[in-house]
Amino acid sequence: MIPDKAPGEDVLHASEDLKKEAHIPSFEKYKELYINSVDSPEEFWGDVAKDFFWKTKYTGKFLDYNFDVTKGEIYVKCMEGATTNICYNVLDRIVHERKLGDRVAFYWEGNEPGDEKTVTYRELLHQVCKFANVLKSQGVKKGDRVSIYMPMVVELVVAMLACARIGAVHSIVFAGFSAESLCERIMDSQCCLLITADGFYRGDKLINLKLIADEALQKCRDKSFTVEKCIMLKHLTKEDEASPPGSQSPPAKRSCPDLQQEKQKRVRKVRPPPQVPWNPDVDMCWHTLIGGASEECEPVWCDSEDPLFILYTSGSTGKPKGVLHTVSGYMLYTAATFKLVFDYHSDDVYWCTADIGWITGHSYITYGPMANGATSVLFEGLPTYPDVSRMWEIVDKYQVSKFYTAPTAIRLLMKYGSEPVQKYKRTSLKILGTVGEPINPEAWQWYYSVVGEKRCPVVDTFWQTETGGHVMTPLPAATPLKPGSATFPFFGVVPAILNESGEELEGPSEGYLVFKQPWPGVMRTVYGNHQGSRPPTSRNFPDIT
């Protein structure tokens, strides 16, 4: 799969300056580490695991699995016997062991320019502990499922990490989904509590989340499943508005963006307030609950293979499937892929434009970057609002060095030409990434030439909800780059192409993409339907997945 020498024709290379500082500086180093990761996964991933805190060490094989359906149940286990807590590793370890409490965790950039906030790792730790105590006060315990239906705000990160801190399983539903979609996911995972917000704006469009959430909860009741409690964040509600009846709610976390930023040069639009239905028997205000909560909350130590989250993907059948990821393997894999694929260094400012409602946001906004103590931009808005230069304005504002977005966004912005991009300097950019779908060579070249000015490698990452993290991807200093190609496998990943007869094909070919062995971050099961976690190829070819 990996050639003896780096491809030399029709490829582009990183600059010598980038190579000097890179974690993986050459193709030869990549190949050496790749062979080690495949032949000796315990040694390779054991080195990665040394960076993390383990309450107890693993006792069995580092990576144990069965991919052969003729030999029994399909399973993957990583570091069985070890106990840890992923929230502790992405917050407490960063604050207390690495002494990075004052480092910015997130620059939050709202839908409206000028609506912004900054949160450090120490501040985030305190917020997460407080909300974890809130969840415990509502009876949430280890193993319970909690549905989260929120916009791209810091509190979304707080909610998911608070679940992880107490061993609860978060199930985040993209805030653009319908009431029916939310209901279906709540019922499938049997969630005991819903966390949502009053609403948010996407450009000029108001999304009334609470209204949709209430409709979803009613649909659940109509189907004989009752969610007893709903916690609502006041994101848009103006400070001078009356609180919902029975809420005993304080003012919103900040005044409405339209009233707040007097210094903002643009003329701000007056936004109509969202209609916030309120049922005092079910609804609780985030701000009221968190106000009196303690900033101290001991983490619940979890087994390596305890569930971390469920994230729904429709797959090929259209019925949502709850992909389940577990604690330790997912933590190691997202941390390693983030560090090496984006060649992360401590002075970087990283921006992934994805929504946390998708796997990209789970792996490469929350867990991967935070496991490395990275500073990230968290963006609520759209790439074209209030104008088509918004992304490049944000890049300059926060001096973003590593930028990760979707080919769809790139193709959209291409239509407006280079002028909106070139209005801004973008000199801070070092590496560009793409995610979510294949990128056509024309869009790749525009991204590389116009956005990156031919000095920023483009890492075209191939992966899925099921894989947990990148499986095929360039490494910016090590891999020769070819427009439209995801190039070579990441460490520990062994892909192959099979024909209809199950024979492995060599050279350029088309067929079934399969993986010969697991990596730590691969999905463990489909929630409530383990048989459904077996891909069609495992049924056609029993000893491979």
Side-chain angles (χ1 to χ4, degrees):
M1 182 70 195
I2 311 298
D4 292 332
K5 294 183 179 180
E9 294 184 10
D10 301 321
V11 293
L12 299 162
H13 298 274
S15 69
E16 291 304 314
D17 286 345
L18 192 145
K19 290 180 180 181
K20 287 176 187 175
E21 302 295 326
H23 297 298
I24 314 292
S26 67
F27 188 80
E28 291 70 29
K29 184 64 175 177
Y30 159 70
K31 187 172 181 181
E32 174 194 330
L33 290 171
Y34 178 78
I35 291 170
N36 177 247
S37 73
V38 172
D39 293 344
S40 306
E42 181 167 354
E43 179 183 334
F44 181 88
W45 292 108
D47 283 343
V48 175
K50 289 175 185 176
D51 288 340
F52 296 92
F53 176 82
W54 307 94
K55 189 71 171 176
T56 61
K57 306 299 182 184
Y58 70 97
T59 53
K61 287 184 179 180
F62 189 90
L63 195 59
D64 188 20
Y65 68 98
N66 174 45
F67 273 5
D68 188 344
V69 295
T70 66
K71 295 180 179 177
E73 192 86 337
I74 298 293
Y75 69 87
V76 177
K77 297 176 182 178
C78 180
M79 299 184 72
E80 196 170 23
T83 56
T84 189
N85 183 283
I86 196 169
C87 177
Y88 182 94
N89 275 290
V90 304
L91 283 176
D92 306 65
R93 181 179 62 91
I94 302 300
V95 172
H96 299 306
E97 294 180 25
R98 294 185 56 187
K99 310 298 183 187
L100 297 176
D102 294 330
R103 174 174 287 178
V104 173
F106 291 103
Y107 293 113
W108 180 77
E109 178 81 8
N111 180 64
E112 290 289 338
D115 190 18
E116 61 197 50
K117 68 188 289 187
T118 299
V119 59
T120 66
Y121 273 90
R122 181 176 289 107
E123 290 167 340
L124 196 57
L125 173 59
H126 291 162
Q127 290 183 43
V128 167
C129 285
K130 292 180 78 166
F131 197 67
N133 285 323
V134 166
L135 293 177
K136 289 199 297 183
S137 74
Q138 298 304 315
V140 179
K141 59 187 183 303
K142 182 180 177 183
D144 287 346
R145 279 78 59 208
V146 174
S147 181
I148 303 175
Y149 184 60
M150 297 179 78
M152 285 285 285
V153 290
V154 172
E155 289 83 357
L156 171 52
V157 177
V158 170
M160 64 195 297
L161 291 180
C163 289
R165 192 168 191 85
I166 64 172
V169 181
H170 60 73
S171 174
I172 299 176
V173 179
F174 172 55
F177 279 173
S178 68
E180 183 61 42
S181 297
L182 176 58
C183 165
E184 193 171 20
R185 287 156 175 78
I186 288 172
M187 291 185 62
D188 185 79
S189 54
Q190 300 283 289
C191 290
C192 66
L193 182 143
L194 173 64
I195 306 168
T196 189
D198 49 4
F200 68 104
Y201 278 92
R202 291 278 286 173
D204 285 319
K205 183 179 180 182
L206 172 64
I207 310 296
N208 194 323
L209 275 190
K210 183 59 166 60
L211 208 61
I212 300 168
D214 279 12
E215 184 182 346
L217 294 183
Q218 183 58 53
K219 287 177 179 290
C220 290
R221 286 190 288 271
D222 292 345
K223 297 175 182 179
S224 302
F225 183 79
T226 300
V227 177
E228 302 286 353
K229 297 172 182 177
C230 174
I231 298 175
M232 188 198 80
L233 173 78
K234 295 172 72 174
H235 178 53
L236 290 182
T237 311
K238 291 185 175 67
E239 193 166 357
D240 58 353
E241 280 183 6
S243 297
S247 71
Q248 299 180 337
S249 169
K253 62 171 182 167
R254 60 179 185 276
S255 55
C256 181
D258 304 305
L259 307 178
Q260 178 182 336
Q261 298 289 335
E262 294 181 5
K263 65 181 181 180
Q264 184 63 32
K265 294 179 181 178
R266 291 186 176 94
V267 175
R268 308 299 292 274
K269 296 180 180 178
V270 177
R271 300 291 193 190
Q275 298 299 309
V276 182
W278 198 259
N279 179 355
D281 294 331
V282 175
D283 297 330
M284 296 170 287
C285 176
W286 173 296
H287 312 278
T288 302
L289 294 170
I290 210 167
S294 168
E295 292 180 353
E296 299 288 332
C297 179
E298 281 296 308
V300 171
W301 302 110
C302 300
D303 292 338
S304 276
E305 287 300 317
D306 279 347
L308 172 62
F309 67 84
I310 299 165
L311 184 59
Y312 283 85
T313 177
S314 62
S316 58
T317 65
K319 177 176 171 53
K321 299 177 186 66
V323 170
L324 187 141
H325 283 282
T326 53
V327 176
S328 295
Y330 178 82
M331 177 174 72
L332 296 181
Y333 200 71
T334 54
T337 47
F338 173 78
K339 178 180 178 179
L340 300 179
V341 173
F342 299 108
D343 195 41
Y344 168 73
H345 295 275
S346 61
D347 58 348
D348 280 324
V349 176
Y350 163 80
W351 181 19
C352 171
T353 68
D355 194 287
I356 292 177
W358 307 116
I359 188 63
T360 304
H362 283 57
S363 298
Y364 299 116
I365 294 179
T366 302
Y367 290 112
M370 293 187 67
N372 285 276
T375 294
S376 297
V377 174
L378 185 65
F379 181 46
E380 182 187 31
L382 297 171
T384 55
Y385 180 83
D387 58 58
V388 295
S389 292
R390 182 72 187 278
M391 291 174 111
W392 322 121
E393 177 187 12
I394 293 170
V395 166
D396 278 7
K397 177 178 180 178
Y398 297 111
Q399 291 295 287
V400 172
S401 53
K402 310 292 168 71
F403 180 71
Y404 195 34
T405 196
T408 299
I410 295 166
R411 287 190 288 268
L412 171 65
L413 296 173
M414 273 180 68
K415 294 178 181 178
Y416 298 95
S418 60
E419 191 275 332
V421 183
Q422 292 167 347
K423 281 172 60 178
Y424 294 90
K425 295 179 180 178
R426 294 158 288 112
T427 52
S428 59
L429 288 173
K430 295 179 182 177
I431 292 170
L432 304 174
T434 67
V435 60
E437 61 189 300
I439 183 169
N440 55 305
E442 294 78 14
W444 193 103
Q445 287 283 13
W446 184 86
Y447 195 34
Y448 176 73
S449 301
V450 176
V451 176
E453 297 179 327
K454 297 185 177 181
R455 57 182 176 77
C456 301
V458 176
V459 289
D460 172 8
T461 62
F462 168 75
W463 60 296
Q464 298 172 307
T465 306
E466 293 86 346
T467 71
H470 307 140
V471 288
M472 303 284 286
T473 176
L475 300 179
T479 312
L481 304 172
K482 182 176 181 179
S485 172
T487 68
F488 298 111
F490 190 73
F491 301 117
V493 177
V494 186
I497 302 293
L498 304 186
N499 64 17
E500 290 284 351
S501 303
E503 299 165 329
E504 185 169 347
L505 305 175
E506 300 290 340
S509 52
E510 292 185 9
Y512 291 99
L513 173 63
V514 299
F515 298 100
K516 295 183 176 183
Q517 64 188 53
W519 51 94
V522 71
M523 70 176 286
R524 299 303 194 255
T525 190
V526 170
Y527 184 78
N529 180 17
H530 186 65
Q531 194 71 10
S533 65
R534 288 172 48 200
T537 47
S538 73
R539 297 159 205 152
N540 298 346
F541 319 122
D543 59 347
I544 203 163
T545 193

